[in-house]
Amino acid sequence: MEKTDSSGASLAAAALAVALAALSIATLQLLGQFFATADGYRRCQPSVMGAWAQYTKLRWKWSEMRFETLFITPEIFLQKYQPTRGMTSTPIQDLNWVTEYAGATERSHHGSETTYHRVESLDPNLVGSDPGTGVHHERVCWLSFLAAVRDNENETIMDPFATLTHRAACRLVRRSWDFMPPDVIRPLAMTSIGDIAIMIERLGMTWQAFRPEEGEMRAEGNGHMVYSTFVRSIGPILQYVNGNIPAAAAREKFSESIITPQSRTPPTAEVDMMRFGMLPCHNLMGQDFITMGTLEDIQASLNYIDKKMWSWKRVFEDRGTFDGMTFGFPDVIPLAAPMLRAIGSCKIRLPMPTDTCASLLTRKEGFLIFRQRLDEYIANNMEDAESKHARWVLEIFDDLDRLSEFWKDDLKLDFPATSENISFLDIVSRYWDDTTVYFEELEAMDCISFKYEELVACHIRHAVNYRREAHQRIEDNEQRYHEGRAHLDWLVEGMHLYWDYLPSIASELSERFGTTERLICSAWIMLMFRAFLWSRCHFFCPPDQARPEYKVLPSRYWNSKLPVYLG
């Protein structure tokens, strides 16, 4: 009897154990089924998104009996930089963020707070910096992109004379995998077309294809590469590839081949505008910018300057005759733009805002002939009270020529950044400031109605004629002295023609401004000298020889908030 009870108890215990095991297995299977509903959870793990995975959460939805995957990714954008009111530099620790920038708090559609951070202030683990193993190329590419942007901006800030007006920042947003299309296999960071175009070029890359509306975007350079893939319902997704070479090592190993000209452009909003074919204007011009990136932009700008549209007709004819080149109109760049180089800085390179930036006011031929014609003008008008400004221009012109061989030779502008050369550029910049004061005083005079922008416009209306007229004079064997530059006789003759246009300019504007022709002549001489000064402080990046078809970015994408994603 006792054996029967003992065996029964054993059987019952065994049955209980089997039942408990079956219950556990069933429970685990049930839980597995529930966790399997967490779509995207395994794609938000450290192997995919690094330290950002610590913020991946599951949220149970009773109404649907499933888990929802919540994760954090950055929205990257350019933000106006204010060193005294910088964004929070506190590393990110947990999800209980406090928005510290500008006292603002935003909430996403999930009710979570959105926090702003400078890229360089983020926890190193959150920007792809892994001291042990380096950047993991199998992770989301925006980790290494954030690291590259941070390193580039930190290097810029180390330059005590660099003027950084806009810096990359992150808006950290909690997202749900429910909104991810099935074609997306990794969490995406978001940015905008206008901002990513600038950040890419600041890293030293150049755009080889930039057609966001077609989903085609590709850029290379400076050890980086970006290309796009198109996903339905989202649009272009950018993939970033980094050679994983530190900046210092890159300079040592590849020298100038790895640090491209674009990486030495001043990192300011005004320079960024030029990448989109928009020329920022000085306050004297009375407008914010001039568009010149496309033929249509040039036409619109010229028709604004010349209501009769004769200037545009001449430019259009010249482009058909002289291999698509634009003559005369590029003078507006050194005449209208503000000084973009900072005092003490060696960064003088600028992106080309149009397909041709060649101007007589930047070329050696223009400098040489202007100097000789100015000497003749002063000799013929020695008794004129207004000639004192012309004499001042001649004196400073010769002083600068004695100071540096770079003054008259545009082919030597890409000179090494020695302290002597930087000091020379500082002197040139200060003389440019003096010309600004001169024109501001003219505009402030009550007895005349002088307008700087009208003087510039009148010069452009005449300057667009010089190429065809110079060509005709050369054909008729009527060209004038060339100062040893006979092989570029059309440029030499062009500056002679500029001086020939001066009486017409003076006659037209003296009546409009209610002043004398002599004052207009002095103002025009100062205008030309101002352009020469500006052109010696800036040097346009030459077109990439591998991409002769390179054009500036379309102006419609400047400051565009059209979203684009990083994979």
Side-chain angles (χ1 to χ4, degrees):
M1 187 68 181
E2 292 180 359
K3 290 184 178 180
T4 303
D5 294 340
S6 176
S7 61
S10 297
L11 289 173
L16 179 61
V18 171
L20 290 175
L23 178 62
S24 299
I25 292 173
T27 301
L28 290 175
Q29 288 179 332
L30 180 62
L31 291 175
Q33 292 294 324
F34 280 124
F35 280 108
T37 65
D39 189 23
Y41 184 70
R42 64 185 178 86
R43 295 173 178 174
C44 300
Q45 297 304 302
S47 58
V48 178
M49 58 190 307
W52 293 80
Q54 63 184 299
Y55 307 123
T56 301
K57 304 294 180 183
L58 291 177
R59 181 169 64 181
W60 177 253
K61 304 190 76 169
W62 285 102
S63 60
E64 302 177 19
M65 294 296 290
R66 69 175 181 89
F67 283 106
E68 178 186 14
T69 302
L70 302 177
F71 59 97
I72 301 294
T73 57
E75 180 180 345
I76 310 168
F77 61 99
L78 291 175
Q79 177 68 46
K80 188 173 183 180
Y81 179 47
Q82 297 175 316
T84 58
R85 291 184 56 209
M87 305 175 197
T88 175
S89 59
T90 305
I92 306 167
Q93 300 295 338
D94 51 42
L95 286 174
N96 298 319
W97 294 316
V98 177
T99 301
E100 297 180 15
Y101 176 71
T105 300
E106 291 189 4
R107 291 186 175 274
S108 69
H109 55 275
H110 293 294
S112 59
E113 290 186 353
T114 300
T115 308
Y116 301 86
H117 292 267
R118 284 203 309 268
V119 169
E120 49 82 21
S121 71
L122 295 177
D123 187 330
N125 291 326
L126 296 180
V127 290
S129 298
D130 188 337
T133 58
V135 177
H136 293 265
H137 293 289
E138 295 181 356
R139 293 178 176 176
V140 288
C141 69
W142 45 264
L143 287 176
S144 53
F145 179 76
L146 286 172
V149 171
R150 178 201 59 192
D151 294 343
N152 181 68
E153 292 195 347
N154 284 344
E155 184 176 332
T156 300
I157 293 173
M158 290 175 64
D159 181 354
F161 302 105
T163 304
L164 183 62
T165 60
H166 286 73
R167 297 187 61 182
C170 288
R171 183 180 292 115
L172 307 177
V173 182
R174 181 181 300 171
R175 307 180 188 276
S176 170
W177 197 268
D178 289 359
F179 296 92
M180 302 297 285
D183 294 339
V184 176
I185 60 174
R186 289 184 289 187
L188 303 177
M190 190 170 75
T191 181
S192 66
I193 289 291
D195 290 343
I196 193 66
I198 294 170
M199 287 186 279
I200 289 299
E201 293 214 9
R202 283 188 180 182
L203 287 176
M205 288 180 268
T206 53
W207 288 103
Q208 297 184 349
F210 191 81
R211 293 182 289 274
E213 66 279 2
E214 300 175 14
E216 185 177 2
M217 301 170 68
R218 187 174 70 258
E220 293 183 29
N222 207 16
H224 310 273
M225 181 174 68
V226 167
Y227 62 93
S228 65
T229 56
F230 190 81
V231 176
R232 289 180 301 175
S233 76
I234 283 188
I237 296 179
L238 296 180
Q239 304 295 330
Y240 168 76
V241 180
N242 187 351
N244 199 25
I245 303 175
R251 279 193 296 271
E252 180 179 353
K253 184 175 181 180
F254 296 99
S255 185
E256 288 298 313
S257 64
I258 191 71
I259 307 300
T260 62
Q262 283 80 356
S263 64
R264 296 194 297 272
T265 57
T268 65
E270 290 80 6
V271 174
D272 293 333
M273 290 178 67
M274 300 178 76
R275 307 182 196 278
F276 293 85
M278 302 166 63
L279 178 71
C281 291
H282 191 272
N283 295 335
L284 288 169
M285 286 296 295
Q287 59 188 103
D288 295 330
F289 59 87
I290 297 172
T291 55
M292 55 175 56
T294 65
L295 197 58
E296 292 76 13
D297 291 336
I298 294 175
Q299 180 181 4
S301 297
L302 277 174
N303 289 342
Y304 177 80
I305 292 173
D306 183 3
K307 305 300 183 186
K308 296 181 180 179
M309 302 184 184
W310 290 343
S311 299
W312 163 245
K313 181 181 178 181
R314 176 51 56 88
V315 166
F316 186 76
E317 291 174 351
D318 285 351
R319 287 180 69 94
T321 305
F322 302 107
D323 299 326
M325 299 292 288
T326 302
F327 300 99
F329 178 71
D331 285 1
V332 76
I333 297 174
L335 294 176
M339 181 62 67
L340 299 172
R341 171 193 171 269
I343 292 293
S345 175
C346 64
K347 298 181 185 298
I348 66 169
R349 284 180 174 260
L350 299 176
M352 295 177 64
T354 185
D355 58 353
T356 173
C357 294
S359 165
L360 280 179
L361 305 182
T362 64
R363 299 296 299 264
K364 181 176 183 177
E365 295 75 22
F367 274 60
L368 292 173
I369 302 305
F370 178 85
R371 167 65 179 78
Q372 294 302 317
R373 291 294 297 263
L374 178 61
D375 203 8
E376 294 175 7
Y377 175 86
I378 293 174
N380 295 330
N381 297 276
M382 188 62 68
E383 304 301 325
D384 184 11
E386 290 295 336
S387 66
K388 64 178 181 180
H389 301 296
R391 291 194 297 271
W392 178 83
V393 168
L394 182 61
E395 178 184 349
I396 302 304
F397 198 102
D398 290 342
D399 286 346
L400 293 175
D401 193 20
R402 287 189 291 268
L403 278 175
S404 174
E405 62 177 328
F406 305 128
W407 168 240
K408 288 191 297 190
D409 197 344
D410 58 297
L411 298 180
K412 297 180 179 180
L413 271 180
D414 197 18
F415 47 70
T418 63
S419 58
E420 180 181 356
N421 292 336
I422 292 175
S423 297
F424 169 71
L425 291 177
D426 289 345
I427 294 172
V428 174
S429 296
R430 293 188 181 98
Y431 283 133
W432 184 88
D433 291 336
D434 292 340
T435 66
T436 301
V437 173
Y438 168 81
F439 285 112
E440 288 176 343
E441 291 177 349
L442 274 184
E443 290 196 341
M445 294 175 64
D446 296 331
C447 57
I448 62 175
S449 56
F450 180 86
K451 295 294 182 184
Y452 178 85
E453 66 270 24
E454 292 189 23
L455 176 61
V456 172
C458 190
H459 168 79
I460 297 297
R461 286 196 295 270
H462 288 79
V464 295
N465 299 304
Y466 90 83
R467 182 64 177 97
R468 189 172 295 271
E469 293 182 12
H471 181 73
Q472 186 61 50
R473 289 185 65 90
I474 293 169
E475 282 191 344
D476 295 341
N477 200 27
E478 296 178 356
Q479 65 267 37
R480 286 161 279 190
Y481 57 83
H482 50 73
E483 292 293 318
R485 308 293 290 180
H487 61 293
L488 292 171
D489 50 3
W490 63 274
L491 288 172
V492 170
E493 191 60 33
M495 181 52 72
H496 282 297
L497 286 168
Y498 275 17
W499 279 92
D500 293 347
Y501 300 147
L502 180 54
S504 298
I505 294 174
S507 176
E508 177 182 342
L509 295 183
S510 61
E511 183 177 351
R512 184 182 307 174
F513 295 160
T515 185
T516 64
E517 293 186 7
R518 291 301 182 193
L519 186 144
I520 300 300
C521 289
S522 294
W524 181 85
I525 291 170
M526 191 70 73
L527 182 74
M528 297 298 100
F529 183 56
R530 176 181 174 85
F532 290 143
L533 294 168
W534 189 94
S535 66
R536 285 305 171 260
C537 289
H538 306 88
F539 180 72
F540 287 105
C541 301
D544 191 335
Q545 297 302 317
R547 293 187 300 117
E549 76 285 358
Y550 170 75
K551 303 294 182 183
V552 297
L553 303 179
S555 58
R556 64 181 179 275
Y557 290 117
W558 165 252
N559 206 27
S560 171
K561 300 306 177 185
L562 184 68
V564 64
Y565 296 88
L566 288 165

